[in-house]
Amino acid sequence: MDQNTLAQRLDRLESIEAIRQLAGKYSLSLDMRDLDAHVNLFAPDIRVGGGKVGREHLKSWVDDTLRHQFTGTSHHLGQHIIEFVDEDHAIGVVYSKNEHETGAEWVIMQMLYWDDYERIDGQWLFRRRLPCYWYATDLNKPPIGDMKMRWPGREPYNGTFHALFPSWQQFWAGAPDHEALPQVAEPAPVEHFLRRMRADTPAPKIRVR
């Protein structure tokens, strides 16, 4: 076996594990309120919004969000799909089931993150995390129906859990003709499963909790 190919394959496996660890570290540092550990998981020049750039601005935003909205949180990770753009850039989708103590209510949430990862100075970091929410509601109030984002003290609104993937709208646009077998597209090329599913869908506008 070509040694360069072997080295590349080993690097790919190590990178996958590092990226999975990155997602786990995100949840732990967030739930334990170690904001320095948390923001150091992001690229040094991370864009925070409003023209602000850098970990200091990210720390300020996260601190304000956590201090004024939640007493405690717990983020439980599910499946994690990772695909590489090149040896130093990757994308991923991570499912997350979360719990929040917020005032007198216990809010549960289902969401996914669309991630962009970058290896900088040998370390895999978040370049961007796009949170897409399906529902948020009090533990005792199942989120049946529309407007599944139901935070205490706010008007309900729709999340963006399905917004990145055109297949959701296409599936519900009309019933298939069951008298004929449906066509099946060719499988996505290696490292293009997520990009095939997303197609050219732009990032939705995410409403902050």
Side-chain angles (χ1 to χ4, degrees):
M1 180 179 291
D2 184 89
Q3 291 302 309
N4 289 331
T5 300
L6 181 60
Q8 291 170 351
R9 293 175 67 181
L10 179 59
D11 178 67
R12 180 61 53 89
L13 290 173
E14 291 178 341
S15 293
I16 290 172
E17 180 59 23
I19 292 170
R20 286 179 175 159
Q21 291 286 328
L22 185 67
K25 291 174 182 178
Y26 175 98
S27 295
L28 179 63
S29 59
L30 188 67
D31 293 336
M32 299 305 149
R33 304 300 190 261
D34 190 332
L35 301 192
D36 288 330
H38 188 72
V39 301
N40 280 323
L41 301 174
F42 291 81
D45 59 341
I46 187 70
R47 295 175 59 187
V48 181
K52 298 176 181 178
V53 176
R55 290 169 174 163
E56 293 81 4
H57 288 294
L58 178 60
K59 182 178 179 180
S60 177
W61 181 84
V62 173
D63 185 284
D64 182 69
T65 300
L66 295 175
R67 198 173 296 279
H68 295 98
Q69 293 189 25
F70 315 118
T71 303
T73 57
S74 180
H75 291 67
H76 306 261
L77 300 185
Q79 60 264 38
H80 190 173
I81 303 170
I82 300 165
E83 292 181 357
F84 289 84
V85 178
D86 56 42
E87 65 180 11
D88 291 322
H89 297 85
I91 59 176
V93 167
V94 186
Y95 271 51
S96 187
K97 188 72 171 286
N98 312 325
E99 301 192 22
H100 311 76
E101 183 181 7
T102 173
E105 297 195 51
W106 196 273
V107 176
I108 57 174
M109 171 189 281
Q110 178 65 59
M111 64 174 296
L112 62 81
Y113 295 99
W114 179 283
D115 290 336
D116 291 271
Y117 314 108
E118 182 175 353
R119 180 158 53 182
I120 301 174
D121 295 329
Q123 183 179 6
W124 282 99
L125 300 168
F126 291 111
R127 170 52 64 188
R128 185 185 187 192
R129 294 213 94 181
L130 183 66
C132 297
Y133 308 111
W134 186 23
Y135 67 78
T137 188
D138 183 89
L139 179 63
N140 298 308
K141 302 173 183 176
I144 304 300
D146 297 328
M147 304 292 186
K148 296 182 186 295
M149 294 299 295
R150 303 170 187 176
W151 286 103
R154 305 186 196 180
E155 290 297 318
Y157 61 95
N158 286 317
T160 56
F161 188 75
H162 303 102
L164 289 178
F165 304 101
S167 56
W168 177 260
Q169 295 292 340
Q170 293 167 2
F171 181 86
W172 293 111
D177 178 5
H178 291 292
E179 294 184 2
L181 285 174
Q183 294 184 340
V184 178
E186 290 294 321
V190 175
E191 301 291 359
H192 283 77
F193 181 85
L194 293 176
R195 280 172 280 184
R196 167 77 68 82
M197 285 193 65
R198 182 171 173 175
D200 296 321
T201 306
K205 183 175 179 59
I206 303 299
R207 183 169 175 176
V208 178
R209 299 172 184 171

